[in-house]
Amino acid sequence: MLNIIIFGAPGAGKGTQSKFIIQTYNLNHLSTGDLLREEVRLETELGLKAKPIMEAGNYVSDEIIIGMIENKFRDNSMANGFIFDGFPRTVAQAEALDSMLLNQNTNITAVILLEVEESELVKRILKRAIDEGRTDDNVDSVLTRLRNYHHKTIPVVDYYRAKGKLLQVNGVGLVEDIFDQIKEFIDHSRYQL
Ligand code: AMP
């Protein structure tokens, strides 16, 4: 069982590196952003509630997020493990994840943090707005998302750093080179268990 968390500010390249990790290790991809965007697209009750929060760049409540993850765990086989992308974003979510994994007799294998400086992030996100048309990729929303990331999510990174499971990687460079560093760390971590 291999369970990986990938952290990084919006625009740090989490989606791109997740794809490489999934292909290499055959993991289930669990992106709370993707799950929420699907709810918004289907105009479900949850989606209608989440839409204005996401567009403003704020965090959807822990209760909604944890509920969504619990449903996913019920639906999905845990066979190979998961890559968590965009989750956990708060310490409360991290604690809920730990107990869900413990219930399945497993835990987090490795945590990756992609680091990219702020001016580069803003540049990348505004380019993504043009390429992909995400409605939350505008200047105001981006600045709110970066602020939330620093205030609420960096403490979660510290939570895993304290457990000795964290790799910090420079997220600027060739995607293949970045992935090589991630792969080396995951391979090392999985045999430590
Ligand atoms: P993402 O695609 O991961 O950047 O997520 C897009 C938006 O969905 C975020 O800006 C938040 O509004 C919301 N969101 C996604 N995941 C979470 C989470 N784990 N906790 C709170 N809000 C989330």
Side-chain angles (χ1 to χ4, degrees), residues 9-11 14 31-34 36-37 50-51 53-62 65 68-69 85-90 93 128 134 136-137 141 145 148:
K14 295 190 296 291
S31 154
T32 42
D34 285 353
L36 287 167
R37 278 184 287 278
K51 189 170 190 256
I53 302 173
M54 293 169 73
E55 285 184 346
N58 284 315
Y59 281 4
V60 172
S61 75
D62 286 338
I65 298 290
M68 256 175 24
I69 296 282
D85 167 1
F87 171 86
R89 260 178 160 97
T90 63
Q93 292 178 19
R128 186 169 72 183
R134 267 179 60 163
D136 59 348
D137 279 345
S141 166
R145 279 151 69 200
N148 278 322

Side-chain angles (χ1 to χ4, degrees), residues 11 13-15 18 44 49 59 81 84 92 95 116 145 159 166 175:
K14 295 190 296 291
S18 292
T44 63
K49 215 166 167 186
Y59 281 4
F84 298 99
E95 288 170 352
V116 175
R145 279 151 69 200
Y159 172 89
L166 184 75
V175 289

Side-chain angles (χ1 to χ4, degrees), residues 51-122:
K51 189 170 190 256
I53 302 173
M54 293 169 73
E55 285 184 346
N58 284 315
Y59 281 4
V60 172
S61 75
D62 286 338
E63 195 190 343
I64 290 184
I65 298 290
I66 293 165
M68 256 175 24
I69 296 282
E70 280 171 349
N71 285 339
K72 266 296 178 217
F73 268 21
R74 269 193 286 277
D75 297 349
N76 248 300
S77 102
M78 295 277 294
N80 297 306
F82 282 97
I83 175 153
F84 298 99
D85 167 1
F87 171 86
R89 260 178 160 97
T90 63
V91 172
Q93 292 178 19
E95 288 170 352
L97 177 62
D98 276 352
S99 57
M100 282 185 254
L101 292 174
L102 199 67
N103 278 339
Q104 311 266 356
N105 282 323
T106 182
N107 64 6
I108 294 297
T109 315
V111 180
I112 314 294
L113 171 63
L114 288 172
E115 291 191 303
V116 175
E117 72 167 51
E118 196 148 319
S119 58
E120 172 68 16
L121 291 171
V122 174

